[in-house]
């Protein structure tokens, strides 16, 4: 073997999209097919794994399915060890690897060890959730921008300032909130400091999957709606005037309207 043919250790972080395998990119499918080891996150749709070869070793590193969540440090070590053994390692992450996916930490860790990293985008669940309602994220009349934000207080060590975000949304920005259902009461309270009770909201659970459920209502009723409908994680909360008119459209399967 000539030195040029020696393969250098490489890990590919691949966005698996929101769940529907048809929303994978062509690049993602190619990477999954080429993998010899697949490290699979929690929210990766089962259908996506269809593209893996039979001989590929699939390691589930998520907490759904009964196991405790695998510590991030262990996942990083495992990725590095397999890549250094010469395996073609693909780290499959739900949505996009760089949207609330800790992809940044993984890239840093691998690069420090001299392992090459490539990243393949995926459709982030926030995009898929809004699109599943046939609602645009921006609209020349209602919204000139979008804020993707996490409702999870610990994500950055502190809770988002909902009142400030509400003020931004009141200026015509759509809010797309990840990991927000467990904190719905708290974020509703904060958002009401800058937005009216009648501001349209939607909650979309399991976006893009056959068992998707969603509910449409108003900000003044956000936490109540989530509770009554039994909506839970994984879900996206959307807030903003782009949702106007949604309440007057015929409802699809899995949808609930609250007057
Ligand atoms: N990297 C992922 C986000 C990971 S954080 C992405 O780009 O989508 C996990 C959060 O993503 C969940 O708590 C939920 O808010 C959201 N999420 C992931 N998949 C989802 C889905 N199919 N439907 C609704 N929300 C989803």
């Amino acid at each position: 073997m000539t030195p040029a043919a020696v393969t250098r250790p490489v890990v590919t972080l691949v966005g698996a999209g929101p769940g529907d395998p048809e929303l994978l990119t062509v690049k993602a499918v190619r990477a999954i097919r080429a993998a010899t080891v697949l490290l699979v996150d929690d929210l990766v749709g089962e259908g996506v794994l269809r593209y893996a070869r039979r001989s590929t070793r699939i390691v589930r590193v998520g907490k759904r399915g009964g196991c405790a969540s695998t510590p991030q440090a262990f996942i990083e070590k495992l990725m590095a060890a397999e890549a250094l053994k010469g395996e073609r390692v693909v780290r499959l992450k739900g949505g996009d690897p760089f949207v609330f996916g800790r992809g940044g930490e993984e890239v840093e860790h691998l690069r420090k060890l001299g392992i090459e990293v490539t990243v393949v985008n995926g459709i982030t669940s926030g995009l898929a959730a809004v699109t599943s309602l046939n609602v645009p994220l921006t609209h020349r009349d209602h919204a000139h921008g979008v804020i993707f934000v996490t409702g999870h207080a610990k994500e950055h060590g502190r809770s988002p300032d909902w009142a400030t975000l509400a003020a931004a949304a009141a200026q015509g920005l759509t809010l797309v909130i990840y990991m927000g259902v467990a904190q719905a009461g708290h974020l509703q309270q904060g958002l009401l400091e800058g937005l009216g009770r009648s501001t349209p909201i939607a909650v979309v659970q399991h976006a893009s999957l056959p068992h998707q459920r969603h509910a449409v209502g108003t900000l003044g009723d956000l936490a109540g709606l989530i509770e009554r409908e039994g909506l839970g994680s994984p879900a996206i909360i959307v807030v903003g005037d782009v949702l106007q008119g949604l309440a007057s459209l015929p409802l699809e399967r899995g949808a609930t309207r609250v007057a």
Side-chain angles (χ1 to χ4, degrees), residues 136-156:
L137 277 168
T138 64
H139 190 292
R140 284 203 295 173
D141 296 335
H142 307 300
H144 58 261
V146 185
I147 297 176
F148 289 127
V149 61
T150 170
H152 195 285
K154 289 195 195 114
E155 186 68 21
H156 302 292

Side-chain angles (χ1 to χ4, degrees), residues 15-20 41-44 64 93-103 122-129 149-152 155 177-181 203-209 211-213 232-237:
D20 177 353
D41 247 3
D42 247 3
L43 289 172
V44 172
R64 272 153 230 265
K93 299 174 79 72
D96 186 272
F98 280 167
V99 180
F100 307 125
R102 305 183 78 169
I123 294 182
T124 187
S125 52
L127 277 180
V149 61
T150 170
H152 195 285
E155 186 68 21
I177 305 168
Y178 292 65
M179 294 173 270
V181 280
V203 183
V204 185
Q205 183 178 16
H206 298 302
S208 88
L209 289 162
H211 51 290
Q212 170 173 330
R213 291 182 63 227
S233 184
I236 294 287
I237 299 172

Side-chain angles (χ1 to χ4, degrees), residues 197-203 215-219 221 225 243 256-259:
R197 295 185 70 78
S198 60
T199 306
I201 56 106
V203 183
V216 181
T218 58
L219 183 58
D221 186 39
L225 176 65
L243 295 164
T256 307
R257 172 180 305 137
V258 174

Side-chain angles (χ1 to χ4, degrees), residues 68-233:
S69 183
T70 314
Q72 185 68 18
F74 176 80
I75 298 171
E76 288 171 6
K77 267 195 197 140
L78 184 60
M79 271 194 298
E82 295 294 337
L84 290 167
K85 270 197 251 163
E87 299 289 351
R88 265 168 296 170
V89 180
V90 165
R91 170 86 169 104
L92 254 187
K93 299 174 79 72
D96 186 272
F98 280 167
V99 180
F100 307 125
R102 305 183 78 169
E105 294 165 41
E106 293 178 9
V107 169
E108 256 172 55
H109 177 82
L110 293 164
R111 287 209 174 126
K112 267 192 214 146
L113 297 173
I115 297 169
E116 195 184 314
V117 187
T118 54
V119 183
V120 177
N121 283 123
I123 294 182
T124 187
S125 52
L127 277 180
V130 182
T131 301
S132 76
L133 305 175
N134 279 338
V135 163
L137 277 168
T138 64
H139 190 292
R140 284 203 295 173
D141 296 335
H142 307 300
H144 58 261
V146 185
I147 297 176
F148 289 127
V149 61
T150 170
H152 195 285
K154 289 195 195 114
E155 186 68 21
H156 302 292
R158 63 192 165 98
S159 183
D161 180 347
W162 295 111
T164 301
L165 287 169
Q171 297 300 308
L173 296 175
T174 306
L175 294 184
V176 177
I177 305 168
Y178 292 65
M179 294 173 270
V181 280
Q183 318 268 339
H186 172 69
L187 68 89
Q188 172 184 349
Q189 214 177 2
L191 289 174
L192 282 172
E193 287 179 34
L195 287 166
R197 295 185 70 78
S198 60
T199 306
I201 56 106
V203 183
V204 185
Q205 183 178 16
H206 298 302
S208 88
L209 289 162
H211 51 290
Q212 170 173 330
R213 291 182 63 227
H214 59 269
V216 181
T218 58
L219 183 58
D221 186 39
L222 174 65
L225 176 65
I226 289 171
E227 201 185 329
R228 282 194 307 282
E229 297 306 321
L231 293 166
S233 184

